[in-house]
């Protein structure tokens, strides 16, 4: 068998891949052995006698499967957790999304006439002070305190 290590080195350089990714057509070994210049190697590449193999990658199939299960809340128990609750879910972002939703709902209620501007301001301040846990909590409070008006 012919030593094609020089051709493999040249082909790797021309194809801009590592030597392990260079593929020689076994039927064309004689032609490849005769290729001693980069130009010869380029011609063989154009003819398809020399090719680069595809790069190997890590399959994301298992990761996608795990993400689908976690979307349902599976595989998220105590045994799967590494960080504290605040490291797994940013408390500030959590607060931001809750307060924005509450303020948006208060604006809607004020604009459609359900709340007077003074009631709106009172509830806005309560929401900002952390009085309510959610939009539903705001609506419950309004129902019990302002519902009879």
């Amino acid at each position: 068998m012919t030593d094609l290590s020089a051709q493999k080195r040249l082909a790797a350089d021309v194809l801009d891949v590592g030597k392990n990714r260079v593929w020689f057509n076994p039927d064309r070994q004689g032609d490849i052995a005769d290729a001693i210049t980069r130009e010869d190697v380029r011609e063989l590449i154009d003819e398809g006698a020399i090719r680069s193999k595809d790069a190997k990658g890590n399959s994301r199939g298992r990761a996608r499967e795990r993400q689908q299960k976690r979307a349902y809340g599976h595989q998220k128990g105590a045994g799967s957790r590494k960080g504290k609750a605040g490291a797994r879910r940013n408390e500030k972002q959590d607060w931001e999304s809750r307060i924005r939703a509450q303020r948006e709902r208060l604006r809607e209620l004020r604009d459609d006439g359900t709340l007077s501007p003074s009631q709106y301001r009172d509830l806005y301040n309560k929401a900002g002070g952390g009085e309510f846990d959610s939009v539903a909590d705001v609506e419950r409070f309004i129902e019990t305190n302002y519902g009879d008006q």
Side-chain angles (χ1 to χ4, degrees):
M1 191 168 150
T2 321
D3 180 21
L4 302 174
S5 58
Q7 286 81 352
K8 186 157 275 213
R9 181 184 57 77
L10 285 173
D13 200 36
V14 169
L15 291 167
D16 199 27
V17 297
K19 285 184 272 193
N20 289 336
R21 279 182 57 196
V22 174
W23 175 86
F24 289 157
N25 186 338
D27 301 334
R28 302 280 306 272
Q29 280 196 350
D31 297 337
I32 295 169
D34 294 339
I36 55 172
T37 66
R38 284 172 189 274
E39 195 52 50
D40 295 339
V41 170
R42 281 192 200 98
E43 283 173 20
L44 288 169
I45 289 169
D46 292 339
E47 292 168 20
I50 299 174
R51 282 201 310 253
S52 66
K53 296 179 192 170
D54 290 337
K56 290 179 185 170
N58 294 337
S59 169
R60 289 214 25 96
R62 286 180 299 277
R64 278 192 294 272
E65 199 175 309
R66 195 163 50 249
Q67 284 169 341
Q68 281 181 327
K69 285 181 179 174
R70 285 183 177 165
Y72 278 96
H74 297 186
Q75 297 190 345
K76 289 180 105 174
S80 301
R81 299 179 195 168
K82 288 274 193 169
K84 301 271 281 188
R88 291 171 58 82
R89 171 198 35 78
N90 188 320
E91 289 151 3
K92 181 173 181 176
Q93 287 173 351
D94 195 34
W95 162 259
E96 284 172 352
S97 66
R98 279 188 291 124
I99 194 65
R100 283 173 184 169
Q102 289 171 28
R103 286 172 175 167
E104 186 179 354
R105 184 66 181 132
L106 288 172
R107 272 194 301 278
E108 288 167 5
L109 293 170
R110 179 196 61 192
D111 293 343
D112 71 14
T114 310
L115 293 176
S116 69
S118 61
Q119 289 171 331
Y120 165 80
R121 182 49 50 191
D122 184 40
L123 291 168
Y124 186 97
N125 289 338
K126 282 184 191 301
E131 185 90 4
F132 311 117
D133 293 332
S134 62
V135 172
D137 201 15
V138 173
E139 289 174 346
R140 266 194 304 277
F141 184 90
I142 292 168
E143 189 64 39
T144 55
N145 295 306
Y146 301 120
D148 55 337
Q149 295 175 352

